[in-house]
């Protein structure tokens, strides 16, 4: 009936027209209207008999139709706004949101309660009294569950939800075994928290007390999804309830969890480690029906929702690699807090990805543990929206608000959510309204800020107690069985704890990543002394060149594109490749080796500086053509996607993708380098520190356009100093490259190493078209990555000054050196800044034993590389630094000033 939703005020003329259409062809109207008119035909045949006995049927019919339509309007209103009446809050009365769902709002009264209305057909209960209709509406839409779905625009999706909700909500009655399963999971959740709280009094664990129904909910989601064909699920969550999820969903041994509380340090650990409530885990789960599913819990820092895009990217990579892009097989589950899901912008970014070709994962199940407080902040101060889940509406995702004290209702919506996701491959949100029995952590005092709320919570029974009593009262189980289940679980926990105290430390179980990761090893310092060979054959180059320089028959190219292809052909023919061609050659060679290549970011298909042109568009049809996908039959296909206008979310997604697949070259390119500022949380908490904290390697590449060319403060500086400040313990590679051969080898080296490291590249802008930025084709065949380039122009015997530099400024210095014939000044380019190539730099400097050494950079002195280089190479090695003056802003906004500054800087270097 949704297509006729404009009939809100029961226009009888419209109904008459609709009825006439029905009489001519019943299928021309919505199924709900068909049911209604069938009942109406029956009614009119009955009222016709009444008319023959003297009853005036015309006035009765008109009046009755008006009332029927009032009842229909009431039903529609409950579907739309019934959630505003639902009893979802277990510890306080909900606010009056004025839902307008009283009888008087629809020209109905108590006098109509016993009148039978055909409108009951709209609810699936057939002709029924208004009393029964209202009772059904309250049970379905205003009980322990509040359903939000009326805003969904696809009629088939809305109809599926409506039928599912209205038919199953009235009939839902779990079997005895299902009730025992719910109680079992509640037992595990409640007793686990009670036990830890008793044995480890005062230790932080960010317990789940008050939200224990999370455990049966996750159990139901995973079991239902697995039985519907899901093979892998990955959970992303913050710290609240994480230990409980690890124990009772992920099947991590209690002994291993207790070990963290005992303060034992694992034997097998790489790096500095992390606190127990940030760790990830992998396991297998078998459902009661016998279906197997692989589970992963992603490690996560305290930045709450930061893990969301990582989970999405990981699931996308798993589906691509294991199931040929069948997203039905891999399920992302994101567990949110109410304050975080409403307040953190990353949630919006990730939600906006849900239906995008480059980022879709077949639908995410979002589960909100809504404890109504964010640390100490009341929800009234934490959001403007009525619900914390209102972000769901931007993608027409349904939301199920549910009372956490009603575990059967929680399980009911959890099953519907899993079924909905598998049916439509769309996101769905569950908002479980519950409470937090303690403060933000176990040593916090919540009464300081929420005294009245916590006076309600103090004596409020937990969900297990409420459910056990409900089952006993209904006669579903007896009190003895409930007590027995409780005692058995406590005994098992005590036994596990005793075992921990008896042993020095249990065997450490490291994170289980994909089997391909097991073939790799962690890097040692010696691995960075010299790069491996990464060249390719001339035959391979020719294959890729042929693909990059031709178009399919019938393709209408713009003249500019024809020139791009012609230029590519000239580069290959002359044996001198520019930057864009070298980059494409790297991608093509990896694709031919069966490796995955994925590139994303804003405008990456063309390239911000119109240099890449990886995806071409027909000038007449707009059909796209990707040359790299047509090198040879059976090759791997490149994935290159223009992203949404997001840095934080997209970078996190690509990090997750790379985390899943060590044989994929995954690249995120910023439109301009400093745009990565918006993704700083991802850089700090994941990219720079993941190996040290969690023992997980990652080969993500970040390409950050950088260089001083007079484009102003926001388009000049990728902030290399920030990455270099984070650089330590060989955690990532930071480079500023100046040759096409080096970008080629740097990208190939990412997958040639026997380990994986993130690669941060200060990539060029103007250098894309610089006449000197070309590399001979021989360097792509026999070469490898060059950490530094020595001087080939200066006369070593005459050199009195050595200029060490990195990046674009080299070409400014080179121009001055050659223009003035300064053979007494040598210029050494450092291409890889971290790990710093100390031995190679020393070898070059040894050629000039009497020369004075200066560091030259075009960045201000307080930015760029100077601080890092002196820390790594030693301050005493240098006479000084030649740079722009210290500055709060990265660059001037005036081109004339920029040119003057650059000229002065170069002159100083040769003074």
């Amino acid at each position: 009936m949704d297509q006729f939703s404009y009939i809100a005020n029961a226009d009888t003329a419209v109904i008459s027209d609709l009825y006439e259409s029905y009489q001519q062809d019943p299928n021309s109207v919505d199924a709900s209207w068909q049911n209604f008119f069938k009942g109406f035909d029956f009614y009119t045949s009955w009222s016709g008999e009444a008319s023959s006995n003297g009853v005036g049927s015309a006035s009765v019919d008109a009046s009755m139709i008006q009332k029927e339509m009032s009842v229909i309007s009431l039903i529609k209103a409950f579907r739309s706004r019934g959630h505003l009446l639902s009893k979802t809050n277990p510890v306080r009365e909900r606010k009056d949101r004025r839902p307008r769902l009283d009888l008087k709002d629809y020209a109905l009264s108590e006098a109509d309660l016993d009148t039978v209305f055909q409108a009951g057909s709209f609810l699936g209960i057939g002709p029924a009294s208004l009393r029964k209709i209202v009772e059904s509406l309250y049970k379905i839409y205003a009980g322990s569950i509040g359903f939000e779905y009326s805003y969904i625009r696809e009629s088939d999706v809305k109809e599926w939800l409506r039928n599912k909700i209205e038919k199953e909500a009235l009939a839902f009655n779990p079997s005895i075994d299902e009730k025992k399963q719910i109680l079992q999971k509640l037992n595990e959740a409640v007793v686990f928290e009670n036990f830890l709280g008793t044995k480890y009094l005062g230790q932080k664990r960010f317990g789940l007390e008050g939200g224990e129904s999370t455990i049966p909910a996750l159990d139901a989601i995973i079991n239902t999804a697995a039985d519907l064909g899901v093979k892998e699920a990955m959970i992303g969550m913050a710290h609240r309830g994480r230990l409980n999820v690890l124990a009772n969903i992920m099947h991590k041994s209690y002994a291993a969890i207790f070990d963290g509380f005992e303060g034992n340090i694992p034997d097998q650990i790489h790096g500095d480690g992390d606190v127990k409530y940030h760790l990830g885990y992998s396991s297998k789960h078998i459902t009661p029906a016998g279906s197997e599913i692989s589970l992963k819990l992603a490690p996560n820092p305290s930045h709450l929702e930061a893990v969301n895009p990582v989970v999405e990217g990981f699931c996308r990579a798993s589906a691509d690699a294991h199931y040929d892009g069948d997203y039905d097989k891999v399920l992302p589950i994101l567990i949110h807090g109410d304050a975080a899901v409403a307040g953190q912008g990353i949630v919006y970014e990730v939600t906006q990805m849900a239906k995008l070709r480059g980022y879709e994962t077949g639908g995410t199940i979002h589960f909100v543990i809504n404890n109504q407080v964010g640390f100490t902040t009341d929800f009234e101060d934490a959001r403007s929206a009525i619900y914390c889940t209102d972000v769901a509406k931007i993608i027409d995702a349904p939301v199920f608000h549910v009372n956490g004290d009603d575990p059967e209702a929680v399980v009911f919506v959890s099953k519907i959510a899993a079924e909905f996701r598998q049916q439509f491959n769309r996101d769905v949100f569950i908002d479980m309204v519950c409470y937090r029995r303690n403060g933000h952590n176990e040593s916090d005092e919540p009464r300081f800020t929420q005294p009245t709320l916590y006076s309600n919570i103090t004596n409020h029974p937990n969900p297990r107690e409420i459910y056990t009593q409900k089952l006993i009262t209904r006669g579903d189980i007896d009190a003895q069985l409930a007590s027995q289940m409780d005692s058995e679980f406590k005994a098992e926990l005590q036994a596990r704890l005793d075992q921990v105290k008896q042993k020095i430390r249990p065997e450490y179980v490291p994170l289980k990543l994909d089997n391909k990761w097991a073939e790799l090893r962690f890097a040692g310092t010696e691995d960075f002394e010299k790069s491996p060979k990464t060249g390719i054959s001339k035959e391979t180059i020719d294959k890729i060149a042929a693909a990059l320089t031709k178009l399919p028959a019938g393709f209408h190219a713009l003249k500019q594109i024809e020139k791009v292809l012609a230029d590519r052909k000239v580069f290959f023919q002359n044996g001198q490749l520019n930057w864009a061609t070298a980059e494409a050659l790297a991608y093509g060679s990896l694709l031919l080796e069966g490796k995955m290549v994925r590139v994303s970011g804003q405008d990456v298909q063309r390239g911000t500086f119109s240099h890449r042109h990886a995806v071409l568009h027909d000038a007449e049809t707009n059909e796209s053509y990707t040359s790299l996908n047509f090198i040879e039959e059976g090759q791997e296909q490149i994935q290159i996607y223009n992203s949404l206008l997001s840095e934080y979310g997209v970078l996190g997604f690509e990090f997750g993708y790379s985390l899943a697949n060590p044989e994929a070259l995954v690249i995120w390119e910023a439109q301009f380098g400093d745009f990565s500022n918006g993704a700083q949380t991802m850089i700090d908490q994941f990219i720079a520190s993941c190996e040290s904290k969690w023992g997980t390697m990652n080969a993500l590449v970040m390409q950050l356009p950088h260089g001083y060319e007079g484009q102003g403060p926001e388009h000049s500086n990728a902030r290399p100093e920030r990455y270099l400040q984070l650089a330590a313990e060989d955690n990532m590679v930071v480079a500023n490259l100046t040759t096409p051969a080096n970008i080629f080898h740097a990208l190939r080296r990412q997958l040639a190493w026997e380990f994986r490291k993130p690669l941060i590249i200060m990539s060029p802008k103007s250098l894309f078209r610089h006449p000197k930025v070309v590399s001979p084709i021989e360097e792509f065949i026999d070469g490898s990555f060059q950490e530094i380039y020595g001087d080939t122009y200066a006369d070593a015997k005459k050199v009195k000054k050595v200029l060490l530099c990195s990046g674009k400024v080299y070409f400014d210095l080179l121009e001055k050196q050659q223009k003035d014939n300064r053979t007494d000044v040598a210029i050494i380019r450092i291409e890889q800044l971290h790990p710093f190539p100390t031995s190679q730099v020393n070898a070059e400097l040894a050629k000039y034993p009497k020369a004075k050494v200066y560091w030259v950079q075009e960045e201000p002195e307080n930015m760029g590389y100077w601080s890092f280089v002196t820390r790594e190479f030693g301050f005493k090695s240098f006479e000084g630094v030649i740079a722009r003056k210290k500055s709060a802003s990265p660059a001037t906004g005036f081109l004339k000033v920029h040119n003057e500054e650059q000229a002065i800087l170069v002159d100083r270097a040769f003074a």
Side-chain angles (χ1 to χ4, degrees), residues 823-839:
T823 57
D824 62 328
V825 178
I827 309 170
I828 300 174
R829 279 177 280 175
I830 298 182
E831 300 278 292
Q832 178 176 294
L833 291 140
H834 183 264
F836 193 79
T838 302
S839 60

Side-chain angles (χ1 to χ4, degrees), residues 418-477:
E419 292 173 17
F420 176 82
R421 189 270 181 180
Q422 289 303 98
Q423 179 72 25
F424 295 105
N425 291 128
R426 295 167 64 126
D427 286 33
V428 55
F429 285 69
I430 298 170
D431 173 25
M432 188 186 77
V433 185
C434 52
Y435 55 93
R436 190 187 67 196
R437 187 167 293 279
N438 301 305
H440 178 64
N441 60 60
E442 283 65 32
S443 61
D444 199 28
E445 176 50 78
R447 291 172 183 80
F448 289 154
T449 49
Q450 282 82 29
T452 56
L453 173 62
Y454 275 85
S455 67
N456 295 341
I457 292 173
T458 299
N459 297 315
H460 188 80
N462 66 48
R464 172 188 163 276
E465 293 169 334
I466 292 171
Y467 189 54
T468 300
Q469 189 57 48
K470 184 177 181 179
L471 292 177
I472 294 171
T473 301
R474 291 194 315 207
D476 292 335
I477 65 169

Side-chain angles (χ1 to χ4, degrees), residues 627-646:
S627 307
L628 285 168
N629 286 338
F630 297 92
I631 305 170
E632 67 179 23
E633 281 192 35
Q635 67 165 86
E636 191 68 53
Q637 301 285 289
I638 190 171
Q639 299 183 36
I640 182 163
Y641 299 106
N642 290 337
S643 75
L644 66 161
L645 200 63
S646 152

Side-chain angles (χ1 to χ4, degrees), residues 149-166:
Y149 66 94
S150 63
Y151 46 80
I152 295 175
R153 283 161 281 201
E154 295 93 332
S155 58
D156 60 326
V157 176
K158 195 191 299 190
E159 187 173 343
W160 186 93
L161 280 166
R162 188 178 65 225
N163 290 336
K164 195 83 176 170
I165 291 165
E166 293 179 354

